[in-house]
Amino acid sequence: MQATSHLALINVFVGDIQGGLGPFLGTWLAQAAQWSPSRIGLVTTIVGFSTLVLSGPLGALVDRVGRPRLLIALACAAILGGTVMLMPARSFPTVLAAQFVAALGGTLVVPAVAALTLGMVGKQAFPKQQGRNQAYNHVGILGAALAISFGTPVFGPSIAFWVLGLLAVGAIVATVTTPGRAWNARRAVGWKEDDPDDKPERSAILKVLGDRRLLLLSASLALFNLANGSMLSLLGQKLVAAGQDGTGWTARYVMVAQLVMIPVALLAGSLADRRGRRQLLIAACAVLPVRALLSALLDDPAWLILAEVLDGVASGVIGVAVPVVVADLTWGSGRTQTALGTVAAVQGVGGALSGWIGGLLAIHFGWTWTFLALGLPALLSLGLALWLEETCAPSGQDAAGAPCGTIGAASRLPPEGPRLAFEEQGRA
């Protein structure tokens, strides 16, 4: 089996387990432990913000350890262990501890898979491979959702534990059986593969994270998630308030969005080099205000499927474009996963605030104005995306005219200590 086939399996298996039980956690705690919605919300909020704080440091751990296969296996083991711990848990401290362990693994697995991908295929092939990764990711999520949907009437809500457990075990097996020689540590960070005596130092973290383009990207993604994070949940609540089957339609919307994300991710991976990364980000951000408008004006649940098709387009593109742009901006610094984890944390803050803000808007202004109001941060996100410079145009150069995805493009990142040998080569 080819190494990229192992990578495909890893992405299929980890697609659904990254968030642990995810939306099924509330159902399980409500049915098995008779928890109130407020108590469930408190646990998820505490765990959510804790893992956001740790997202950057866990990315730095991936950069520093340089053993992504080991870290992916450990992350999946943590997800599995935390989920198993949750089954008998009933008290607040034990549920909190179990969820934190699982969420820690889910946060670690994302930069670890990105590092494994870069070290296997290299920077030039990364955009297309990231598109494939995300497509396989969505296949895994869709498959798990179908298994849980059809299995729940037969096996009860505990089916979610069994599906997640099998996926975690599958991810661990696919990871440990991946050929070690297929991954190159120097290829993963942009250092010269054919010169092991060249030992460049990693760039200073603050200088990498302080890149204006990275800050602009992070702000745009935070606004994107602020607008996008609560829309699906609010749609379900809107349908319930109108006397519709909110749960059933929400499940259909999730499946529609995941089905759309699969071809969109593949297309985005292909277009990243041909059309440029900036164009992809602009397209994703432009779709979101339209989704907000449709959600505000449409009441028929069947027509609202159009809004979730747009969700699939926007989220599918973002999932491919963001790691590729971060890799462009940090290539050769040795801090790519640190930056990716930090960007994910900022992005996650927007998503965490979205549910709270969306709920307040719904209470005070009604459904139509709530969705229209969520379209405002979506428009701001689009404005920042338009302001962002191209990190890799179809010509193979960034906005400054330097080759992207090559050693020369990394030469502007200042290292800790002496200048890197490959910087001198980049200026030559």
Side-chain angles (χ1 to χ4, degrees), residues 15-99:
D16 190 66
I17 67 175
Q18 289 172 206
L21 286 179
F24 301 102
L25 173 66
T27 304
W28 169 261
L29 290 175
Q31 292 183 352
Q34 287 76 52
W35 276 33
S36 65
S38 61
R39 203 178 191 198
I40 295 170
L42 181 59
V43 165
T44 55
T45 300
I46 293 173
V47 172
F49 276 102
S50 299
T51 51
L52 285 179
V53 171
L54 292 172
S55 184
L58 288 174
L61 176 68
V62 174
D63 281 329
R64 180 60 64 180
V65 171
R67 300 184 65 184
R69 291 193 306 148
L70 172 64
L71 294 176
I72 293 171
L74 290 176
C76 293
I79 295 169
L80 179 60
T83 306
V84 170
M85 288 168 57
L86 186 63
M87 292 188 72
R90 295 295 180 270
S91 67
F92 189 90
T94 54
V95 170
L96 182 64
Q99 271 300 100

Side-chain angles (χ1 to χ4, degrees), residues 138-368:
H138 297 309
V139 167
I141 294 172
L142 181 62
L146 290 171
I148 293 172
S149 297
F150 288 108
T152 299
V154 180
F155 301 101
S158 62
I159 184 65
F161 288 92
W162 290 103
V163 171
L164 189 143
L166 289 173
L167 290 174
V169 171
I172 293 172
V173 172
T175 301
V176 299
T177 57
T178 301
R181 64 183 181 278
W183 186 80
N184 185 289
R186 301 176 70 82
R187 184 190 306 144
V189 294
W191 297 345
K192 292 187 293 185
E193 298 176 42
D194 58 353
D195 188 3
D197 294 328
D198 175 38
K199 299 185 183 299
E201 296 183 28
R202 299 179 189 277
S203 300
I205 291 180
L206 292 181
K207 289 184 178 179
V208 173
L209 299 183
D211 187 312
R212 181 186 65 83
R213 298 163 299 174
L214 197 64
L215 294 174
L216 196 61
L217 174 67
S218 300
S220 177
L221 292 174
L223 289 168
F224 180 94
N225 269 24
L226 178 61
N228 188 61
S230 63
M231 277 197 194
L232 179 58
S233 174
L234 290 171
L235 269 185
Q237 296 174 55
K238 174 183 176 179
L239 294 177
V240 169
Q244 302 281 351
D245 178 15
T247 301
W249 278 107
T250 298
R252 296 184 188 100
Y253 294 156
V254 169
M255 293 180 186
V256 166
Q258 293 299 324
L259 281 171
V260 172
M261 287 179 199
I262 294 170
V264 166
L266 292 171
L267 181 62
S270 176
L271 292 176
D273 287 329
R274 287 190 287 156
R275 302 299 295 270
R277 285 74 150 127
R278 179 173 174 269
Q279 298 298 325
L280 291 179
L281 289 172
I282 290 172
C285 295
V287 162
L288 192 54
V290 180
R291 181 193 179 202
L293 185 63
L294 291 177
S295 300
L297 300 181
L298 297 178
D299 294 319
D300 188 327
W303 281 104
L304 282 169
I305 289 177
L306 293 174
E308 293 316 298
V309 169
L310 295 181
D311 177 31
V313 172
S315 299
V317 171
I318 287 291
V320 175
V322 171
V324 173
V325 171
V326 171
D328 286 341
L329 296 176
T330 60
W331 196 237
S333 68
R335 302 288 187 186
T336 297
Q337 304 313 319
T338 305
L340 185 59
T342 304
V343 169
V346 177
Q347 189 177 0
V349 169
L353 292 174
S354 182
W356 176 59
I357 293 174
L360 290 177
L361 289 171
I363 291 173
H364 295 290
F365 299 105
W367 299 113
T368 299

Side-chain angles (χ1 to χ4, degrees), residues 360-382:
L360 290 177
L361 289 171
I363 291 173
H364 295 290
F365 299 105
W367 299 113
T368 299
W369 286 106
T370 294
F371 287 110
L372 291 176
L374 289 176
L376 294 178
L379 289 172
L380 291 174
S381 176
L382 175 60

